[in-house]
Amino acid sequence: MKKVYLETFGCQMNVSDSERISTTLAKDGFEMTADETVADVVIFNTCSVREKAEHKLFTRVGHVRHSGRKPVVGIMGCVAQLEGETLFKKIQGVDFVLGTRAVGRVSAAVDASLSGNGKIVDVGERDDDYDWTVADTHRHSPYVAFVPIIEGCNKFCTYCIVPFSRGREISFSAKNIVSQVADLRLKGVREVHLIGQNVNSYKPESDEGLERLEGKSAFTKLLRATAATGIDRIKFTTSFPRDFRSDIVDAIEDHENLCNWVHLPVQSGSDRVLRGMKRGHTIDKYFKIIDRLRSSPRDISITTDIIVGFPGETEEDFRDTVELVEYCGYDMAYIFKYSPRPGTPAFEMEDDVSPAEKTIRFLELERVQRRVQNERLKRYLGKTVKVLVEGSSARNDSLTGHSTCHKVVNFVGNKEMLGEIVEVEVNEVKSNSLFGVLKQ
Ligand code: SAH
Ligand code: SF4
Ligand code: F3S
């Protein structure tokens, strides 16, 4: 049996695609291995959102090539989709290149490469090519499942490569999503994540499965329909501010199993920069959403993404971002330095914030966020949170899992609790996780 090693970079869409890649390969007679040194085939599922992510790929392929062995090397994901055939020239030793919508055809590419059938490239972008099936054997967790509901992006934010690497938005049928969730529940899955580049832009071709449900948008109706399956917990990510309607919060308030966590990337606290990024909303509109979320009795945790050093960002613009972070009180924020991506509109703009200045802004924002975050997280002290037990440590009796607000929670307990939802009283708060004791 040929062994395949698969390494994943990038976002949850790639993690989800990798689950499908592994499941397909295993079904077709390959053995997945976590040990790269024994693999006959090495596949990289790649990300190109920032230059750094791409560099990592070049380093990793170089590493495999110089290891003395000669495994088949495949490049999949966003870099594959963008570069296509040119990757054979850019990186030596690559055998196949499969784009973001060719996941379902991975076994054929591996087979052909193993029999030495030349270089294979498949970056077709037919809408019906995306494989929506939720992997049933090779998921990252037996209790948590990623369910893609929308794939691709039509927003074309000026800095972003994703609309080019993932193609146009397509939404999966609501009826199928709901039946997948119901099926996962029967198989013992406790938590589903409805995923997509922008989940709240969800727009299926028909409203089959959403009839008679409350809500102004198909996404809100879909939330209500999945909630009605009775699955324990539903999380969703990522939300796009421009399309975020307050009825999403109404749905969360009506259904206990719609979790109290919203990831709402803002990118910048300056209207001027937001315009340059073509995000399609103002800070004022964003604050209105934050205020609605904060007014909810559900204690909704809010997280975000921010870019510092976008072309033309002045010290004053940056101050606006610092102020925004202070105002919003995020439970967590991913902060990035702007990275010019060839082919995007912002690539044509002058990258005029120096690398040193980007670093200064990055570090300052990180410091402010850490302070705000530590303060915010104190509200969990003494509170009881519901935790889905997802992992245990081999050495001692410590267990770990996520709360409904998507915080990592660590506590002492019995391994038999794996897969259960338990109550933990929080007694210590760290930047990235909570600690507590099990309530009997
Ligand atoms: N669809 C999501 C984001 C997907 S990409 C949204 O619009 O909210 C994930 C994050 O990567 C983005 O939110 C952004 O903060 C960051 N990002 C995207 N392109 C980038 C670039 N060129 N340089 C730096 N960060 C970038
Ligand atoms: Fe990129 Fe903007 Fe689409 Fe998000 S919404 S994936 S940032 S283009
Ligand atoms: Fe990266 Fe592609 Fe996701 S570029 S962030 S893996 S959609």
Side-chain angles (χ1 to χ4, degrees):
M1 210 186 245
K2 295 285 186 192
K3 293 192 173 73
V4 183
Y5 169 84
L6 170 64
E7 192 167 312
T8 309
F9 305 99
C11 65
Q12 77 277 7
M13 295 307 282
N14 264 17
V15 174
S16 163
D17 286 343
S18 282
E19 294 178 349
R20 277 183 286 278
I21 294 168
S22 306
T23 304
T24 304
L25 287 169
K27 207 173 63 210
D28 291 339
F30 296 97
E31 183 185 332
M32 299 307 294
T33 173
D35 181 0
E36 154 185 7
T37 65
V38 300
D40 304 291
V41 182
V42 174
I43 302 177
F44 294 102
N45 193 10
T46 60
C47 171
S48 57
V49 80
R50 283 168 293 276
E51 203 181 1
K52 239 192 192 160
E54 265 191 37
H55 279 163
K56 213 154 67 180
L57 168 68
F58 295 136
T59 319
R60 289 292 292 116
V61 178
H63 186 243
V64 172
R65 265 200 321 132
H66 293 113
S67 64
R69 300 171 318 106
K70 288 240 172 317
V72 159
V73 174
I75 311 289
M76 298 185 70
C78 290
V79 178
Q81 185 67 43
L82 287 164
E83 301 278 346
E85 223 169 336
T86 59
L87 267 185
F88 296 129
K89 285 201 204 95
K90 280 199 178 165
I91 319 179
Q92 276 185 12
V94 172
D95 297 284
F96 69 86
V97 176
L98 286 194
T100 45
R101 289 185 183 169
V103 164
R105 298 188 284 273
V106 61
S107 298
V110 172
D111 271 333
S113 301
L114 281 167
S115 13
N117 282 354
K119 308 275 182 196
I120 292 140
V121 55
D122 180 354
V123 290
E125 214 194 290
R126 288 205 337 263
D127 277 0
D128 54 1
D129 269 0
Y130 192 70
D131 178 5
W132 298 94
T133 46
V134 179
D136 52 0
T137 54
H138 285 67
R139 283 201 317 270
H140 69 288
S141 160
Y143 323 113
V144 181
F146 284 163
V147 179
I149 65 164
I150 177 168
E151 159 67 6
C153 184
N154 292 351
K155 310 293 187 278
F156 292 95
C157 302
T158 53
Y159 52 81
C160 187
I161 199 73
V162 172
F164 306 94
S165 66
R166 288 275 170 178
R168 293 295 65 71
E169 279 171 9
I170 28 166
S171 296
F172 194 40
S173 121
K175 193 169 155 240
N176 287 353
I177 294 166
V178 174
S179 74
Q180 271 184 350
V181 172
D183 190 44
L184 288 163
R185 173 175 174 257
L186 293 178
K187 288 182 176 145
V189 169
R190 311 298 301 267
E191 177 174 304
V192 291
H193 289 219
L194 306 180
I195 62 167
Q197 270 78 25
N198 299 297
V199 280
N200 55 329
S201 306
Y202 178 71
K203 223 182 232 125
E205 271 173 18
S206 96
D207 70 347
E208 200 185 356
L210 301 177
E211 304 93 341
R212 290 183 300 279
L213 285 157
E214 219 182 292
K216 291 192 198 100
S217 65
F219 178 63
T220 303
K221 291 181 185 176
L222 181 71
L223 285 180
R224 290 184 184 273
T226 44
T229 63
I231 192 145
D232 294 284
R233 325 215 287 193
I234 300 153
K235 295 177 178 175
F236 54 90
T237 178
T238 296
S239 296
F240 187 62
R242 197 188 68 203
D243 296 343
F244 198 95
R245 298 184 177 223
S246 63
D247 61 343
I248 296 175
V249 192
D250 299 339
I252 294 175
E253 288 170 357
D254 287 349
H255 299 275
E256 180 75 30
N257 55 353
L258 292 177
C259 287
N260 50 333
W261 167 47
V262 171
H263 184 64
L264 198 64
V266 66
Q267 315 300 358
S268 168
S270 151
D271 277 333
R272 221 178 55 79
V273 174
L274 285 185
R275 269 197 307 276
M277 291 176 161
K278 287 218 161 63
R279 290 288 285 178
H281 68 87
T282 58
I283 288 303
D284 209 41
K285 150 105 200 240
Y286 187 82
F287 281 167
K288 286 209 171 74
I289 306 172
I290 296 291
D291 293 344
R292 172 67 187 97
L293 289 164
R294 286 269 175 266
S295 74
S296 174
R298 283 291 301 276
D299 186 10
I300 298 169
S301 141
I302 309 170
T303 57
T304 200
D305 297 347
I306 298 173
I307 298 174
V308 296
F310 182 77
E313 184 188 75
T314 62
E315 179 64 26
E316 203 186 334
D317 294 320
F318 175 66
R319 291 288 135 221
D320 289 343
T321 302
V322 172
E323 224 171 86
L324 170 126
V325 163
E326 307 248 10
Y327 181 83
C328 294
Y330 297 113
D331 271 27
M332 201 269 306
Y334 292 109
I335 303 168
F336 307 106
K337 293 184 215 170
Y338 168 69
S339 166
R341 307 311 293 131
T344 62
F347 192 74
E348 307 305 320
M349 304 175 192
E350 194 191 343
D351 183 16
D352 55 357
V353 182
S354 71
E357 186 58 33
K358 278 181 193 160
T359 302
I360 290 170
R361 291 180 191 177
F362 174 85
L363 292 175
E364 175 170 356
L365 197 62
E366 212 179 40
R367 194 164 44 74
V368 173
Q369 170 55 27
R370 203 173 312 122
R371 171 168 49 74
V372 172
Q373 185 165 324
N374 289 344
E375 203 48 47
R376 276 292 297 165
L377 296 184
K378 278 191 196 150
R379 75 188 190 282
Y380 292 118
L381 277 175
K383 289 245 174 72
T384 298
V385 290
K386 285 196 173 142
V387 181
L388 170 58
V389 189
E390 289 157 79
S392 61
S393 148
R395 270 169 292 124
N396 49 33
D397 50 1
S398 70
L399 298 177
T400 183
H402 283 89
S403 61
T404 53
C405 58
H406 208 55
K407 271 272 160 242
V408 172
V409 185
N410 302 295
F411 59 101
V412 169
N414 187 322
K415 277 193 185 50
E416 270 152 36
M417 289 172 180
L418 276 170
E420 280 180 31
I421 293 171
V422 298
E423 293 200 325
V424 175
E425 190 177 309
V426 178
N427 58 16
E428 193 188 347
V429 170
K430 291 207 177 147
S431 302
N432 292 315
S433 50
L434 307 176
F435 291 78
V437 287
L438 195 65
K439 285 193 93 172
Q440 300 298 340

Coordinates of all heavy atoms in Angstrom, one line a residue, residues 112-145:
A112 N -1.4 8.4 -11.5 CA -0.7 8.7 -12.7 C 0.7 9.1 -12.4 O 1.7 8.7 -13.1 CB -1.4 9.8 -13.5
S113 N 0.9 9.9 -11.4 CA 2.3 10.4 -11.0 C 3.1 9.2 -10.6 O 4.3 9.1 -10.9 CB 2.3 11.4 -9.9 OG 1.5 12.5 -10.3
L114 N 2.5 8.3 -9.8 CA 3.3 7.1 -9.3 C 3.7 6.2 -10.5 O 4.8 5.6 -10.5 CB 2.4 6.3 -8.3 CG 2.4 6.8 -6.9 CD1 1.3 6.1 -6.1 CD2 3.7 6.7 -6.2
S115 N 2.9 6.2 -11.6 CA 3.3 5.4 -12.7 C 4.1 6.2 -13.7 O 4.3 5.8 -14.8 CB 2.1 4.7 -13.4 OG 0.9 5.2 -13.0
G116 N 4.6 7.3 -13.3 CA 5.5 8.1 -14.1 C 4.9 8.7 -15.4 O 5.6 8.9 -16.4
N117 N 3.6 9.0 -15.3 CA 3.0 9.6 -16.5 C 3.1 11.1 -16.7 O 2.2 11.8 -17.0 CB 1.5 9.2 -16.4 CG 1.2 7.8 -16.8 OD1 2.1 7.1 -17.2 ND2 0.0 7.3 -16.7
G118 N 4.3 11.6 -16.5 CA 4.6 13.0 -16.8 C 3.9 13.9 -15.8 O 3.4 13.5 -14.7
K119 N 4.0 15.2 -16.1 CA 3.5 16.2 -15.1 C 2.0 16.4 -15.3 O 1.6 16.6 -16.5 CB 4.2 17.5 -15.5 CG 5.7 17.4 -15.5 CD 6.3 17.5 -14.1 CE 7.8 17.4 -14.1 NZ 8.4 17.2 -12.8
I120 N 1.3 16.4 -14.2 CA -0.2 16.5 -14.3 C -0.6 17.9 -13.8 O -0.2 18.3 -12.7 CB -0.9 15.4 -13.5 CG1 -0.6 14.1 -14.3 CG2 -2.4 15.6 -13.4 CD1 -0.3 13.0 -13.4
V121 N -1.5 18.5 -14.5 CA -2.0 19.8 -14.0 C -3.5 19.9 -14.2 O -4.0 19.5 -15.3 CB -1.2 21.0 -14.6 CG1 -1.2 21.0 -16.1 CG2 -1.8 22.3 -14.1
D122 N -4.2 20.3 -13.2 CA -5.7 20.3 -13.3 C -6.2 21.5 -12.4 O -6.2 21.4 -11.2 CB -6.2 19.0 -12.7 CG -7.8 18.9 -12.7 OD1 -8.4 19.9 -13.1 OD2 -8.3 17.8 -12.4
V123 N -6.4 22.6 -13.2 CA -6.9 23.8 -12.4 C -8.2 24.3 -13.1 O -8.5 25.5 -13.1 CB -5.8 24.9 -12.4 CG1 -4.7 24.6 -11.5 CG2 -5.3 25.3 -13.8
G124 N -9.0 23.3 -13.5 CA -10.3 23.6 -14.1 C -11.1 24.4 -13.0 O -10.9 24.1 -11.8
E125 N -12.0 25.2 -13.5 CA -12.7 26.0 -12.5 C -14.2 25.9 -12.7 O -14.9 26.9 -12.6 CB -12.2 27.4 -12.5 CG -12.3 28.0 -11.1 CD -12.1 29.5 -11.1 OE1 -11.0 30.0 -11.4 OE2 -13.1 30.2 -10.8
R126 N -14.7 24.7 -13.0 CA -16.1 24.6 -13.3 C -16.9 24.7 -11.9 O -16.4 24.2 -10.9 CB -16.5 23.3 -13.9 CG -16.0 23.2 -15.4 CD -16.9 22.2 -16.2 NE -17.5 21.2 -15.4 CZ -17.0 20.0 -15.2 NH1 -15.8 19.7 -15.7 NH2 -17.6 19.1 -14.5
D127 N -18.0 25.5 -11.9 CA -18.7 25.7 -10.6 C -19.1 24.4 -10.0 O -19.1 24.2 -8.8 CB -19.9 26.5 -10.9 CG -19.6 28.0 -10.9 OD1 -18.4 28.3 -10.7 OD2 -20.5 28.8 -11.1
D128 N -19.4 23.4 -10.8 CA -19.9 22.1 -10.2 C -18.8 21.2 -9.8 O -19.0 20.0 -9.5 CB -20.9 21.4 -11.1 CG -20.3 21.2 -12.5 OD1 -19.1 21.6 -12.7 OD2 -21.0 20.7 -13.4
D129 N -17.5 21.7 -9.9 CA -16.4 20.8 -9.5 C -16.0 20.8 -8.1 O -15.2 19.9 -7.7 CB -15.1 21.4 -10.3 CG -15.0 20.7 -11.6 OD1 -15.8 19.9 -12.0 OD2 -14.0 21.0 -12.3
Y130 N -16.6 21.6 -7.3 CA -16.2 21.6 -5.9 C -16.9 20.4 -5.2 O -18.0 20.1 -5.3 CB -16.6 22.9 -5.2 CG -16.0 23.1 -3.8 CD1 -14.6 23.3 -3.7 CD2 -16.7 22.9 -2.7 CE1 -14.0 23.3 -2.4 CE2 -16.1 23.0 -1.4 CZ -14.8 23.2 -1.3 OH -14.2 23.3 -0.1
D131 N -16.0 19.8 -4.3 CA -16.5 18.6 -3.6 C -17.0 19.0 -2.2 O -16.3 19.4 -1.4 CB -15.3 17.6 -3.5 CG -15.7 16.4 -2.7 OD1 -16.9 16.2 -2.4 OD2 -14.8 15.6 -2.5
W132 N -18.3 18.9 -2.1 CA -18.9 19.5 -0.8 C -19.1 18.4 0.3 O -19.5 18.7 1.4 CB -20.4 20.0 -1.1 CG -20.4 21.1 -2.0 CD1 -20.6 21.0 -3.4 CD2 -20.3 22.5 -1.8 NE1 -20.6 22.3 -3.9 CE2 -20.4 23.2 -3.0 CE3 -20.0 23.3 -0.6 CZ2 -20.3 24.6 -3.0 CZ3 -20.0 24.6 -0.7 CH2 -20.1 25.3 -1.9
T133 N -18.8 17.2 0.0 CA -19.0 16.1 1.0 C -18.2 16.3 2.2 O -17.0 16.6 2.2 CB -18.7 14.7 0.4 OG1 -17.4 14.9 -0.2 CG2 -19.7 14.2 -0.6
V134 N -18.8 16.2 3.4 CA -18.1 16.3 4.6 C -17.4 14.9 4.9 O -18.0 13.9 4.8 CB -19.1 16.5 5.8 CG1 -18.3 16.6 7.1 CG2 -19.8 17.8 5.5
A135 N -16.1 15.0 5.0 CA -15.3 13.8 5.2 C -15.8 13.0 6.4 O -16.1 13.6 7.5 CB -13.9 14.2 5.4
D136 N -16.0 11.7 6.2 CA -16.6 10.9 7.4 C -15.5 10.1 8.0 O -15.7 9.6 9.1 CB -17.8 10.1 7.0 CG -17.5 9.2 5.8 OD1 -16.3 9.3 5.3 OD2 -18.4 8.4 5.3
T137 N -14.3 10.0 7.4 CA -13.3 9.2 8.1 C -12.1 9.9 8.6 O -11.5 9.7 9.6 CB -12.8 8.0 7.2 OG1 -12.4 8.5 6.0 CG2 -13.9 7.0 7.0
H138 N -11.6 10.9 7.8 CA -10.4 11.6 8.1 C -10.6 13.0 8.5 O -9.9 13.9 8.0 CB -9.4 11.5 6.9 CG -8.8 10.1 6.8 ND1 -9.5 9.0 6.4 CD2 -7.5 9.7 7.0 CE1 -8.7 8.0 6.4 NE2 -7.5 8.4 6.7
R139 N -11.5 13.2 9.5 CA -11.7 14.6 10.0 C -10.7 15.0 11.0 O -10.1 14.1 11.7 CB -13.1 14.7 10.5 CG -14.2 14.9 9.4 CD -15.4 15.5 10.0 NE -15.7 15.0 11.3 CZ -16.5 13.9 11.5 NH1 -17.1 13.3 10.5 NH2 -16.8 13.5 12.7
H140 N -10.5 16.3 11.3 CA -9.6 16.7 12.3 C -10.0 16.3 13.7 O -9.3 16.3 14.7 CB -9.3 18.2 12.2 CG -10.4 19.1 12.6 ND1 -11.5 19.2 11.8 CD2 -10.7 19.8 13.7 CE1 -12.4 20.0 12.4 NE2 -11.9 20.4 13.5
S141 N -11.3 16.0 13.9 CA -11.9 15.6 15.2 C -13.1 14.7 14.9 O -13.8 14.9 14.0 CB -12.3 16.8 16.0 OG -13.2 16.4 17.0
P142 N -13.2 13.6 15.7 CA -14.5 12.8 15.6 C -15.7 13.5 16.0 O -16.8 13.1 15.7 CB -14.2 11.6 16.5 CG -13.0 11.9 17.3 CD -12.3 13.1 16.8
Y143 N -15.6 14.6 16.9 CA -16.7 15.2 17.5 C -17.1 16.5 16.8 O -18.2 17.1 17.0 CB -16.5 15.5 18.9 CG -15.7 14.4 19.6 CD1 -14.4 14.6 20.1 CD2 -16.3 13.1 19.7 CE1 -13.7 13.6 20.7 CE2 -15.6 12.1 20.3 CZ -14.3 12.3 20.8 OH -13.6 11.3 21.4
V144 N -16.2 17.1 16.0 CA -16.4 18.4 15.3 C -16.3 18.2 13.8 O -15.4 17.5 13.4 CB -15.3 19.4 15.8 CG1 -15.5 20.7 15.2 CG2 -15.3 19.5 17.3
A145 N -17.2 18.8 13.1 CA -17.1 18.6 11.6 C -17.2 20.0 11.0 O -18.0 20.8 11.3 CB -18.2 17.7 11.1

